[in-house]
Amino acid sequence: MRIPFIALITAGALLLALASPGAHGAAMLLNQVGSGSVTIGAGAGNSQTVNFPAIGIDRTASGFGETGGIAMSTVEGVFYTYTFNLVPGSGGRFDVQHQMNQLWSGWGSANNGEWQRGPTSSTWNRGVRFQHDYPGGTPTTRAGTPGQNAPGFPLVPNNTLFEPTAGDLLRVEVYLDAIRNEIDYVYSNLTTGETFSYTVPESIAGVPTSNILNFNSIAFRTDFGGPTTFDYTYGTFGVVPEPGRALLLTAGLLGWMTRRRR
């Protein structure tokens, strides 16, 4: 059987393009389950929740924890993403907060309080928040009462994103890797091309180790901003061989095809 040349290139590019935002060298085979758009009005505390049929992770499923298959069907992680054009409100301030069940993220202006500025990530239950302040600012790790350092947790590094300006298209990606029980965050300014990523490791992520984890909603919230529209996606993924192995596999398939053509 002949495999079309373009199909081989596309398959290889897909595996390489889906490199995990974590520092583990694995790649993710993403499966988008749903998508949509919500618009939230101006003012503090406006929110909207999107509900969908539950998607889940079953740690007892056959093949869970394995990374050897390319056509993997076992769910080993879940993700959601959203994009929006920055619309500042009173005083030029903005603050957005989103959560797919316990996978929480946020992004805010530099002139917000320490719990609301810069890209923000958190542990599973939001008990520990990581404020990734803008270059020149003071990033913080907090737990419990605002202003109280989280005991035993170091301050997080500054992110590499400069504060966005009105009209910039911003994107946030959140990935739960259930094999490693860690949460990966990717923040991007699509207008400027800047990207910053951060991993909350298993040692402090607090992801439940129960056999079943279900996800059925995304909550959107804004403070300070004008009417804002969010385009979102959500889905699952399986972990496949690291990009280097995928590249070797693709090269092997290309070589096999070339020999067949000859």
Side-chain angles (χ1 to χ4, degrees):
M1 179 183 68
R2 291 187 178 182
I3 301 177
F5 181 76
I6 188 64
L8 286 172
I9 293 178
T10 302
L14 176 65
L15 287 172
L16 295 175
L18 296 180
S20 166
H24 305 287
M28 297 174 181
L29 188 61
L30 302 183
N31 172 37
Q32 180 177 306
V33 174
S35 63
S37 179
V38 298
T39 299
I40 301 180
N46 287 320
S47 63
Q48 184 171 336
T49 299
V50 175
N51 297 297
F52 48 82
I55 57 177
I57 297 170
D58 181 359
R59 290 189 170 93
T60 67
S62 176
F64 181 85
E66 298 178 5
T67 60
I70 291 182
M72 180 173 292
S73 59
T74 303
V75 175
E76 296 176 319
V78 294
F79 73 91
Y80 74 101
T81 75
Y82 57 93
T83 59
F84 63 100
N85 285 103
L86 174 57
V87 182
S90 175
R93 300 169 69 185
F94 81 96
D95 178 40
V96 299
Q97 303 170 28
H98 302 92
Q99 182 168 283
M100 185 165 98
N101 293 74
Q102 296 297 98
L103 301 176
W104 185 88
S105 66
W107 203 337
S109 304
N111 57 351
N112 290 342
E114 68 177 352
W115 274 53
Q116 295 175 314
R117 66 172 180 246
T120 305
S121 59
S122 75
T123 58
W124 175 260
N125 62 4
R126 199 179 169 185
V128 177
R129 294 176 54 168
F130 304 91
Q131 294 295 135
H132 305 286
D133 208 350
Y134 297 105
T138 305
T140 56
T141 304
R142 296 288 188 245
T145 304
Q148 176 184 354
N149 277 306
F153 301 143
L155 297 182
V156 300
N158 276 10
N159 83 82
T160 56
L161 297 166
F162 287 96
E163 184 174 10
T165 58
D168 282 0
L169 182 62
L170 308 180
R171 176 179 174 86
V172 179
E173 306 165 49
V174 183
Y175 301 85
L176 168 62
D177 182 337
I179 297 177
R180 301 180 179 90
N181 288 330
E182 67 183 21
I183 310 170
D184 296 311
Y185 293 85
V186 183
Y187 300 89
S188 303
N189 185 327
L190 301 181
T191 301
T192 64
E194 299 171 290
T195 298
F196 170 72
S197 61
Y198 185 78
T199 298
V200 180
E202 180 181 16
S203 59
I204 57 176
V207 179
T209 57
S210 53
N211 288 334
I212 306 295
L213 290 176
N214 285 319
F215 303 83
N216 59 10
S217 64
I218 304 176
F220 296 84
R221 175 188 169 98
T222 65
D223 287 324
F224 314 126
T228 304
T229 297
F230 301 93
D231 296 316
Y232 63 88
T233 70
Y234 60 91
T236 64
F237 61 84
V239 179
V240 300
E242 66 279 2
R245 183 176 174 184
L247 179 60
L248 289 173
L249 176 62
T250 304
L253 288 172
L254 287 172
W256 172 82
M257 185 203 71
T258 300
R259 289 193 299 272
R260 292 275 296 183
R261 289 174 65 91
R262 289 175 181 171

